[in-house]
């Protein structure tokens, strides 16, 4: 297995692999160009975003926008990401149609070994994140590796989501818990 294949499978991988470094450098260049766009450069912005994500999208993403690779992110139609969102896509991130994500939100698939000796070896791993349709995620929320957020759920601003959120449930806090 290549390091990319290991990474996408959620297995331990070496992030310093030359192919992974090249993919991150590509994403960094495209992010820099995308984040430098201004209102009114819609066609140019859309082309840069399509290059970054590896496909055209009907999502709206307000710069700045930050990713590890970009090409492991699947956005449904009419997804909205406000300013300053971070998606660390070492594994697949899927966001369903009409989901709205507030400013400064972080969606993380990247993870590290809990054992210090394993961390010292320089390996990493990840877990995919799935966010359903018609979800609202308030500003500054943090979605951790391996989390699934169900359709129609609401994540309160500043929440740290450590566990799956069922369809239609509202959660808030650190760690995020259902509101009654």
């Amino acid at each position: 297995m290549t390091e990319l294949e290991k990474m996408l499978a959620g297995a331990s991988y070496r992030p310093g692999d030359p192919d992974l470094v090249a993919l991150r450098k590509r994403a960094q260049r495209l992010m820099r160009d995308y984040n430098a766009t201004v209102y009114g450069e819609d066609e140019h912005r859309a082309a840069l975003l399509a290059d970054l994500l590896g496909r055209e999208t009907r999502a709206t993403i307000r710069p700045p926008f930050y990713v590890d690779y970009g090409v492991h992110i699947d956005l449904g139609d009419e997804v909205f990401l406000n300013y300053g969102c971070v998606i660390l896509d070492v594994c697949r991130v899927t966001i369903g149609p009409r989901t709205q994500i507030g400013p400064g939100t972080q969606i993380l698939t990247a993870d590290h070994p809990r054992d210090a000796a394993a961390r010292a070896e320089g390996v990493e791993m990840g877990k995919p994140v799935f966010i359903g349709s018609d979800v609202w995620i308030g500003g500054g929320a943090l979605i951790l590796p391996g989390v699934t957020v169900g359709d129609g759920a609401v994540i309160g601003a500043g929440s740290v989501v450590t566990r799956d959120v069922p369809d239609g449930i509202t959660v808030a806090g650190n760690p995020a818990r259902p509101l009654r």
Side-chain angles (χ1 to χ4, degrees):
M1 264 183 135
T2 68
E3 295 302 305
L4 175 61
E5 291 168 335
K6 291 177 193 176
M7 181 182 80
L8 290 172
S12 294
Y13 70 96
R14 300 203 171 275
D17 174 74
D19 292 335
L20 293 179
V21 171
L23 285 171
R24 284 194 307 273
K25 284 182 178 181
R26 175 190 176 280
Q28 289 168 359
R29 179 181 50 79
L30 290 166
M31 278 187 301
R32 179 198 63 224
D33 294 348
Y34 182 80
N35 291 336
T37 62
V38 295
Y39 184 75
E41 296 180 336
D42 297 340
E43 287 183 27
H44 179 58
R45 185 179 282 177
L48 287 168
L49 191 57
D51 282 348
L52 180 61
L53 300 178
R55 71 196 66 74
E56 289 186 15
T57 181
R58 290 186 50 208
T60 299
I61 301 175
R62 290 189 173 159
F65 175 55
Y66 305 99
V67 301
D68 266 337
Y69 299 94
V71 294
H72 309 130
I73 301 169
D74 294 315
L75 302 175
D77 288 344
E78 300 176 43
V79 165
F80 175 79
L81 279 73
N82 214 328
Y83 302 104
C85 286
V86 174
I87 301 179
L88 299 186
D89 62 317
V90 303
C91 285
R92 181 92 24 223
V93 174
T94 304
I95 302 174
R98 298 170 306 281
T99 289
Q100 298 181 23
I101 300 176
T105 293
Q106 298 181 51
I107 300 170
L108 312 177
T109 65
D111 206 350
H112 301 274
R114 302 301 180 262
D115 178 70
R119 280 194 309 275
E121 292 177 22
V123 296
E124 297 177 4
M125 72 286 244
K127 296 178 186 170
V129 170
F130 177 84
I131 299 170
S133 302
D134 302 303
V135 173
W136 167 246
I137 300 175
L142 183 62
I143 312 297
L144 295 184
V147 167
T148 293
V149 177
D151 295 340
V154 175
I155 310 298
S159 295
V160 178
V161 183
T162 61
R163 296 185 179 158
D164 291 352
V165 178
D167 293 352
I169 298 295
T170 297
V171 300
N174 180 5
R177 299 185 194 278
L179 297 180
R180 301 197 191 274

